[in-house]
Each structure stands twice: as structure tokens, then as C-alpha cells.
Amino acid sequence: MNIEGVVLRLLLGGGDAALEQFSRLRAKHFREPYATIYRLIENYYHSRNNLPSINELLVLSQRNSKNVSLLNTLSLLDVSDIHIDVAVDGLLDQFAQTITLNSFERIIEKINILASDDILEEVGRLPLELSEEIGTDASITKSSQLRIFQTREEVHAKMTPTGISNKFDADWGGFFLEELVLVGGYRGTGKSTFCANLSYGQTSQGFICPYFTIEMTDHETFSRIMAIASGVHATKIRKGELSEEDILKLAKARARMFEGGDHLLDKYLKEGLDPIAFESELVCLPASAYGELVIIDDRRLSLSKIDTSLGTLKAKYGDRLKMVVVDYVNQVSLDGKSGVELFDWTVQTVLAKYLKELARKHNVTIVSPYQIDKTGEARFAKGLLDACDLAILLVREDNGDLTLDLAKARSGDDKWSCRQKMNWETLQLDPREIVGDPEPAEEQPTTKKSSRKKQQNDKAAYGELDQ
């Protein structure tokens, strides 16, 4: 018995049960000529808001002998003992199996010319492709299955505090799981620094916050987070110009990341601290729940790599994985697109849509920076913000403070703002809101040379210079 024919026969005049299953189907689930009959049913539904009987389709198809012949064949099928939900499940399973086999055959055909990295990329791409083709995420939920009243614990389980803005956490409760949060700003505003603070803020709460980095190396990202954790000047860490006091601060911050780290540090302090020997022994200890960092450094970061990495990390850490940083959305690769195509606004819009889907799939908050132009709009992408749930604009004030402005809030008032102190030497963002008049910026002597330099910096910040 042909399952495609059975499903079509059950749809024709099948009543409410058929109408409920009809929403799960698409023309791509059928091979020709069954797909043609499905499209006739679909057109009838859109024009009359109901499913046709087989006789009604025969009347409408009387000029097409092929369609009439197939409909007469369908009318002879005995489907009296078949439930339509079982038949539709079988059809969708058949479609999924066919798509999966075709995908594997495509990889097998060129397996001999693929390098190991390419094989991982091809296989990693499959979940996204299959999810897009098969589309099994849709569900119909009735009001009787939902609850408007929830306990505080149930609500909090769907959220994660930022850990870096007391006002935001108090007003909004933090970020919600399954949401996409985009962080915008001019070049040099501190978007990556803000995200590094977010990552460390999650770590300090005992969570795991994977940091996907594209432009910065894993060590650069790690150094920034260690500056935040220790309060040591970030440039000193980067250049290796550390005083004894700096080394001690870093050693204490590093020790907190491992179980028994403090005891090991005490031992080394008694003998005279050798930081290299200390860290070599330290990293052999089990990671602490409050300090484990996960950094994924990939210059060709793609959506499929993010998907497979999150699947692996979610399996390992479970509910400890609540927030993810992707630095940054404008640089993520979309399969089949490369080079200048990546900066096309349509590609960027699709990237944001897929990041949102990955947030829902893995039940995490995904945070990703994006650039804005001199008008304050998203650079490179007209529709970049369509998919996100929250968009936060960062404004670097003249005195170095960082102002957080909401540019978009899907489920709330976007007239929200908060000004916080940023230490640009240690990269530490003070979570407390600045209330009252901010500290004035230090006056700098004005010269023609410095004025020209300021103009260049302003243009760079507003994206008017080449990257």
C-alpha cells in the first residue's frame, strides 16, 4: 500500500481529524504525481478554509485526465481501519529517511577528496539541514495544556541573571532561555569586553558559558577574562609585563578555578611563588564549579559547528549551560556563502534567524555582538534585529562609563537604560548603576594634531573607515 496515497485519501473529506493533521504536511513530503494532488487540496483549503471531498476535487479536475485518473485510484483505497495521525507519522518518517539517506550519499560521493576538517564540517552541517527540511519542531498546544500561574521556582528556571548589571537583573530578571540577545555598538565601544564580562559573570555563578571566538584567539579571550577575574591590567597580561603583585592576583584568580587550588597556592607561597610551576600543577586538579571556562576558537566558525558544539556541551553540563557567547554574529559563516557574500544583509538576517533557532533547540540564551553604523542602525544587515528577542546598544561615554540602552525588547518596554562604571584597564564592568551626575571626563589639551586624530577615531568608531 502506498503511504502517500493513503494520506491523501484520508485527507479528502476526513473532517476535523484530517484538518488537524493537514497542518503538519507540505508538498515536499510527496513525490509526483501525489504532490500535484496535495497542491490541489492545499489550494482548495486556502480558498474555502476547508478540506475538499474526493468528489469535489474530481469536479475541479475534470479537464486534467491524469489528475482524474489518480483521484479515481485513490477513491478505491480501503482506509477504513487506518487512523490519519498514524498515516501522517509514517509519511513524515519516510520523508525523513529519504532526506537523510540522500544527505549521506552526497557526503559519501566526495568522501575521498575531503580532508578531516571538511568531513567534520559536512557531518556537522547535517542536523541543521535535516531540521530545516524535516521541520519537526512545530507543535499544536491547546489552552488546557498550558498554565498561566507558575511558581517562582518555575519562572526562575527559565532565566539566568546576567551577573554584570544589577539594574537589568532586578528589572528584567536576567536573560530568558531560548532567547537571542544581540549587543550593538560602534567599533571600539567594548562589545567583546562586555561579552567577556558576561562570560565571567556566568562562571562566577557556577554556570558554564561557552565563548565562541572568531577574530580573537582563545588565549586572547582567556587573557581578557583573567583580567576581569583578577583586576590586573589587561595590557600587562597581554605583554607579559607583570609585577609581583599582578602575579599574585592572577594566581589567586586562577586558583579559584580548580578544586583545591587555594591549598596548592598556599603551598607555593610558602616556598616562594613560581607561577609557571604553580599553574602546571594547578591544571591537573579537577575544575571548580565556579570558574570553568570553555572557549571555542574557530576562524571559520559556522552554524553547524555551533550546533554540534552546543549539543556536546549540553550533554556534558546539562542545566549548568544556560548562556552562550558568539563573538560575533557578523562573522559567522553560513553554509554555501563566503567572502563578501557574508556581509550581504539577507545573509546576516538568515544567520540571526538560525542563531535564534539554536537557542531554542539547546534551551540556552545566545548573546552575540553586532556592529552599528553612524545612524545607530545595525551595520551590514537591515533585518538583523528581526530575529532577536533583546537588542542592547552600548554607548561609551566621554569619561569611560558604559551606558546600556535597549534598542529592542520583544516582550517588554524598550525604554530602558543604565549607566555603569567600566575600568578600561582591567576590563571590569561594575554591576552597580551610576545614580546622579557622572564623573566628568578628564580634560585633554587640544591641538590640531590631536583634533585630526580625534576625527579619525570618530570616523573609525562610526564605521566610515575601512575595516
Side-chain angles (χ1 to χ4, degrees):
M1 186 178 292
N2 188 303
I3 193 169
E4 292 162 294
V6 169
V7 170
L8 291 174
R9 181 65 186 90
L10 289 167
L11 285 178
L12 293 167
D16 292 340
L19 194 59
E20 186 171 327
Q21 294 300 317
F22 178 67
S23 64
R24 301 173 59 194
L25 297 170
R26 301 291 182 271
K28 66 181 181 180
H29 297 144
F30 300 86
R31 295 169 297 170
E32 293 295 349
Y34 298 101
T36 298
I37 301 301
Y38 175 82
R39 283 190 284 267
L40 290 175
I41 297 174
E42 192 174 40
N43 291 337
Y44 185 98
Y45 173 79
H46 288 314
S47 62
R48 295 171 174 81
N49 202 31
N50 201 355
L51 295 178
S53 68
I54 197 163
N55 289 330
E56 286 172 324
L57 270 198
L58 280 168
V59 169
L60 295 174
S61 305
Q62 56 184 321
R63 287 188 169 184
N64 190 313
S65 59
K66 290 183 179 180
N67 290 347
V68 169
S69 176
L70 182 53
L71 285 169
N72 283 325
T73 301
L74 292 178
S75 68
L76 299 176
L77 289 175
D78 181 10
V79 294
S80 57
D81 60 345
I82 302 175
H83 293 285
I84 188 169
D85 56 337
V86 175
V88 170
D89 285 343
L91 176 63
L92 295 181
D93 288 343
Q94 175 182 281
F95 175 75
Q97 292 159 9
T98 301
I99 291 295
T100 304
L101 287 173
N102 290 342
S103 297
F104 278 117
E105 286 175 1
R106 186 197 72 223
I107 297 175
I108 291 171
E109 285 176 358
K110 56 182 180 180
I111 192 73
N112 291 330
I113 62 172
L114 294 176
S116 56
D117 287 345
D118 295 325
I119 293 173
L120 290 174
E121 183 71 20
E122 289 284 343
V123 174
R125 190 184 301 167
L126 287 180
L128 280 176
E129 290 181 352
L130 296 179
S131 177
E132 182 72 15
E133 284 292 327
I134 298 171
T136 58
D137 293 335
S139 63
I140 298 175
T141 307
K142 299 178 181 178
S143 61
S144 60
Q145 299 171 276
L146 299 171
R147 297 290 183 270
I148 192 63
F149 300 109
Q150 302 178 73
T151 65
R152 184 178 296 272
E153 290 74 19
E154 289 173 327
V155 174
H156 286 178
K158 301 174 184 177
M159 303 161 63
T160 176
T162 65
I164 64 169
S165 176
N166 294 346
K167 180 175 172 59
F168 187 90
D169 290 341
D171 292 348
W172 292 81
F175 296 147
F176 277 81
L177 301 179
E178 300 191 10
E179 288 193 340
L180 173 63
V181 179
L182 296 181
V183 180
Y186 303 127
R187 192 181 310 168
T189 305
K191 300 183 294 296
S192 294
T193 300
F194 179 85
C195 288
N197 275 273
L198 269 179
S199 181
Y200 181 66
Q202 288 296 291
T203 301
S204 301
Q205 298 177 68
F207 300 127
I208 298 295
C209 183
Y211 197 114
F212 290 88
T213 176
I214 302 173
E215 292 189 327
M216 293 191 299
T217 66
D218 51 4
H219 194 270
E220 286 177 293
T221 303
F222 177 58
S223 296
R224 286 189 173 201
I225 296 176
M226 287 307 302
I228 296 166
S230 64
V232 174
H233 199 304
T235 303
K236 289 184 177 181
I237 297 176
R238 182 174 175 80
K239 296 170 67 176
E241 298 175 348
L242 300 171
S243 66
E244 290 186 8
E245 182 183 359
D246 295 333
I247 292 173
L248 181 58
K249 286 181 178 179
L250 281 168
K252 288 180 177 179
R254 196 78 171 105
R256 291 194 296 270
M257 297 180 174
F258 296 87
E259 293 181 9
D262 290 336
H263 296 299
L264 182 64
L265 180 58
D266 289 341
K267 167 192 163 185
Y268 271 86
L269 287 175
K270 291 175 183 176
E271 300 172 356
L273 180 58
D274 180 342
I276 295 177
F278 162 70
E279 189 170 36
S280 297
E281 187 173 347
L282 180 71
V283 296
C284 296
L285 298 176
S288 166
Y290 297 89
E292 189 169 8
L293 299 173
V294 177
I295 301 172
I296 299 95
D297 177 3
D298 191 339
R299 299 302 172 94
R300 297 189 303 166
L301 184 64
S302 63
L303 289 164
S304 55
K305 178 62 178 291
I306 297 172
D307 187 19
T308 52
S309 297
L310 290 183
T312 301
L313 292 168
K314 196 71 175 178
K316 180 177 181 179
Y317 294 108
D319 289 340
R320 286 185 63 202
L321 174 53
K322 293 180 177 290
M323 189 182 298
V324 178
V325 171
V326 178
D327 190 9
Y328 59 99
V329 64
N330 301 110
Q331 292 288 340
V332 176
S333 298
L334 183 63
D335 297 328
K337 302 293 182 182
S338 61
V340 71
E341 287 181 300
L342 290 176
F343 299 102
D344 182 86
W345 72 269
T346 55
V347 174
Q348 295 290 306
T349 302
V350 172
L351 279 170
K353 172 182 176 291
Y354 276 123
L355 283 179
K356 168 65 177 178
E357 289 186 7
L358 290 179
R360 296 197 63 185
K361 176 180 178 180
H362 296 286
N363 193 37
V364 295
T365 303
I366 292 183
V367 182
S368 189
Y370 69 97
Q371 286 191 16
I372 62 174
D373 60 21
K374 61 183 179 181
T375 67
E377 298 296 326
R379 196 176 180 206
F380 305 126
K382 300 176 184 177
L384 182 63
L385 301 188
D386 290 349
C388 77
D389 301 279
L390 279 176
I392 301 174
L393 284 183
L394 302 182
V395 179
R396 184 170 176 171
E397 306 294 351
D398 291 339
N399 68 344
D401 293 346
L402 200 62
T403 295
L404 284 58
D405 286 326
L406 279 190
K408 175 185 176 181
R410 191 186 300 279
S411 301
D413 185 5
D414 60 6
K415 303 295 189 294
W416 182 93
S417 182
C418 179
R419 186 166 181 153
Q420 297 175 216
K421 179 66 65 179
M422 169 67 87
N423 186 325
W424 292 100
E425 293 183 346
T426 63
L427 307 183
Q428 293 170 317
L429 179 63
D430 191 326
R432 297 169 296 182
E433 180 188 15
I434 297 175
V435 180
D437 295 331
E439 296 178 5
E442 294 183 9
E443 293 186 7
Q444 301 292 336
T446 302
T447 64
K448 290 184 178 180
K449 183 176 181 180
S450 65
S451 177
R452 284 195 300 270
K453 182 67 175 176
K454 181 178 184 304
Q455 290 175 1
Q456 287 182 333
N457 289 340
D458 288 344
K459 288 182 178 181
Y462 284 87
E464 294 180 353
L465 297 181
D466 292 336
Q467 293 189 49

